Amino acid sequence: MRKKIALAGPDITQKEIDYVTDAVKNGWYETYDMHIKKLEKTFTDYVGAKYAIATYCGTHALHLATLALGLKADDEVIVTDQSYIATAQAVSYVGARCVFVDIDPDTLCINPALIEKAVTEKTKAIMLVHFAGMAADMDAIMRLASKYNLKVIEDACQLVGGKYKDRYVGTIGDAGVFSFQGAKIAVGGEGGMFVTNDQELYKRALHYGTFCRNDKISYLWSDDIGYNYRISNVTAALILAQIERIDELIGKKKNIYDWYHKYLSNCKSVKLLKINQECQSNYAYVTGYITDETKISRDELIKKLLELNIHVRPGYPSMSAMPNYERRFDVPFSEKYWKKGLVFPTALNLTEEDIKYVCTEVIKLIEGEHTL
Ligand SMILES: Cc1ncc(COP(=O)(O)O)c(C=O)c1O
């Protein structure tokens, strides 16, 4: 069998090995958090935010955002219906209610035109996702947030290094969150980042992420229920090396993105999504829909590709359909992406030949015999 065509996977060089080795050898005693501090400084400089907290994972950073913003039971948060479930669960962790709204079918990000209808007197925040390498419509979202006095959390877990217009995503709303989990463009195995320009929000998030310790009384004193959400120095060293190479990693992802668009451009059965104009993408994902008249269903296609060791995945299930959640509004485009959406392999070890092979097999399965 050919090599595994992985859905995702990193690009690791000697630099990552050197940084991790350095952290293992020297990241103790006075320098126990040296790489964490350097990562936070490098990240804030890169995205242009004032404050950052590196966390064990992106979900923890999302939770710090909902905690620090003071969201609580009985509050409502308007959440995009398409995302990895962590987005919604971070709202649920503080007891607030998710009010899901549908996505824009071309960007897969929350449709701002639907947000206004979902606002009630209980609404306190908007939780958007910059989805699959595409940026949400931040101008429209920030306008609504200011009109209704809502806080904005940008879940930028999938868009490390991406911009909306001329600003890095994650720095436009009240808080931004990133992930360095193993399938992301820059990896730490696990890892996350909370960023904000608001000093008070930063202090509160840091407090919650470090057991709500009150150092004024004693470093062993805790004045509220808090969490141990800090990243390890060794993991921070790995992520630091990746962030120092982020523009190179984006370049590699862009090649993969371009190869898919080249080899699938004439395939009528697959509609690949193009990056929206306002977004400078990190090209970390290649996604789209299969069209209605295909020889086999989307799920059969995925099954057959997996048999060939080609790891494709479906769109996320609609979060408002999951247990513990409820649906207040119809979400036809989120459902369409759930039922018809496909995410193609974009692991960083894939070559043009691999991508051509994937596209050839997709076209063969979906349209019958065909060679590129
Ligand atoms: C949009 C989105 N939000 C949140 C998360 C959670 O991040 P983590 O796995 O680092 O906790 C992920 C990915 O895993 C994600 O894709």
Side-chain angles (χ1 to χ4, degrees):
M1 189 185 267
R2 288 174 73 115
K3 81 176 185 194
K4 175 176 181 178
I5 305 283
L7 185 64
D11 182 62
I12 300 295
T13 63
Q14 192 58 42
K15 184 184 185 87
E16 284 77 4
I17 296 168
D18 289 346
Y19 279 29
V20 170
T21 307
D22 183 41
V24 172
K25 281 187 178 162
N26 305 313
W28 313 105
Y29 304 105
E30 292 90 340
T31 49
Y32 74 98
D33 61 353
M34 174 174 71
H35 293 87
I36 300 174
K37 283 190 179 138
K38 201 157 175 215
L39 172 63
E40 289 172 344
K41 168 88 173 70
T42 302
F43 201 80
T44 49
D45 288 350
Y46 178 67
V47 299
K50 285 195 182 139
Y51 309 99
I53 303 168
T55 54
Y56 173 81
C57 64
T59 308
H60 288 178
L62 283 170
H63 188 195
L64 291 183
T66 56
L67 281 165
L69 285 169
L71 299 173
K72 56 186 183 324
D74 229 29
D75 290 343
E76 291 183 359
V77 178
I78 297 174
V79 182
T80 182
D81 194 62
Q82 257 299 321
S83 184
Y84 184 56
I85 190 63
T87 309
Q89 293 203 348
V91 173
S92 308
Y93 293 160
V94 292
R97 182 182 296 264
C98 291
V99 177
F100 295 101
V101 305
D102 205 6
I103 54 170
D104 174 328
D106 294 325
T107 65
L108 307 177
C109 298
I110 194 165
N111 182 346
L114 303 175
I115 291 177
E116 197 152 16
K117 279 196 215 123
V119 175
T120 70
E121 76 272 8
K122 291 184 172 178
T123 310
K124 294 288 176 337
I126 300 168
M127 171 75 93
L128 61 97
V129 174
H130 299 295
F131 193 94
M134 282 175 271
D137 183 349
M138 291 308 296
D139 283 350
I141 292 168
M142 295 310 289
R143 255 197 313 274
L144 287 167
S146 137
K147 182 168 171 190
Y148 293 100
N149 194 23
L150 306 177
K151 299 294 180 189
V152 174
I153 303 171
E154 290 178 73
D155 178 342
C157 283
Q158 301 184 355
L159 195 48
V160 173
K163 285 182 178 173
Y164 174 79
K165 297 192 172 166
D166 57 351
R167 290 169 74 185
Y168 279 94
V169 295
T171 64
I172 304 164
D174 295 275
V177 170
F178 301 85
S179 169
F180 308 108
Q181 170 261 346
K184 300 296 185 286
I185 187 168
V187 303
E190 298 288 352
M193 192 72 78
F194 167 95
V195 302
T196 183
N197 289 318
D198 177 336
Q199 191 180 34
E200 283 311 309
L201 199 64
Y202 164 70
K203 282 189 189 160
R204 279 201 298 276
L206 191 60
H207 191 55
Y208 278 117
T210 50
F211 286 114
C212 292
R213 284 200 319 250
N214 187 338
D215 292 346
K216 282 190 196 126
I217 298 175
S218 152
Y219 74 95
L220 296 176
W221 184 263
S222 166
D223 55 19
D224 201 349
I225 303 297
Y227 304 85
N228 182 12
Y229 280 176
R230 296 289 279 159
I231 200 169
S232 90
N233 196 53
V234 174
T235 305
L238 175 53
I239 299 169
L240 175 62
Q242 294 263 286
I243 294 303
E244 287 182 359
R245 294 180 55 229
I246 188 70
D247 291 336
E248 181 196 339
L249 297 175
I250 292 173
K252 285 175 186 267
K253 287 281 192 184
K254 168 102 172 47
N255 288 339
I256 295 173
Y257 174 92
D258 288 342
W259 293 328
Y260 275 108
H261 282 263
K262 175 171 153 192
Y263 292 118
L264 285 177
S265 62
N266 291 326
C267 175
K268 298 215 163 38
S269 309
V270 176
K271 182 182 179 269
L272 285 187
L273 294 184
K274 293 213 177 76
I275 302 299
N276 49 330
Q277 281 200 328
E278 300 78 20
C279 173
Q280 186 179 308
S281 186
N282 64 4
Y283 300 99
Y285 303 86
V286 173
T287 189
Y289 305 92
I290 68 162
T291 50
D292 289 332
E293 293 98 35
T294 50
K295 284 182 67 177
I296 57 173
S297 70
R298 193 275 316 264
D299 290 344
E300 269 177 278
L301 174 67
I302 293 178
K303 189 165 162 274
K304 295 229 177 296
L305 289 169
L306 283 173
E307 282 164 15
L308 295 168
N309 214 9
I310 297 172
H311 292 249
V312 173
R313 79 156 168 79
Y316 294 121
S318 155
M319 294 195 292
S320 57
M322 292 192 194
N324 297 314
Y325 292 110
E326 63 186 16
R327 183 171 288 176
R328 197 177 286 179
F329 301 101
D330 287 341
V331 286
F333 292 118
S334 175
E335 292 229 313
K336 180 181 171 194
Y337 186 65
W338 171 17
K339 303 280 161 55
K340 297 275 184 174
L342 271 182
V343 181
F344 290 91
T346 54
L348 282 165
N349 67 346
L350 297 178
T351 62
E352 180 166 5
E353 202 209 317
D354 295 327
I355 305 301
K356 190 172 173 189
Y357 166 64
V358 174
C359 297
T360 306
E361 294 304 325
V362 167
I363 295 171
K364 257 199 245 170
L365 287 165
I366 212 168
E367 288 187 346
E369 261 336 289
H370 184 92
T371 40
L372 285 168

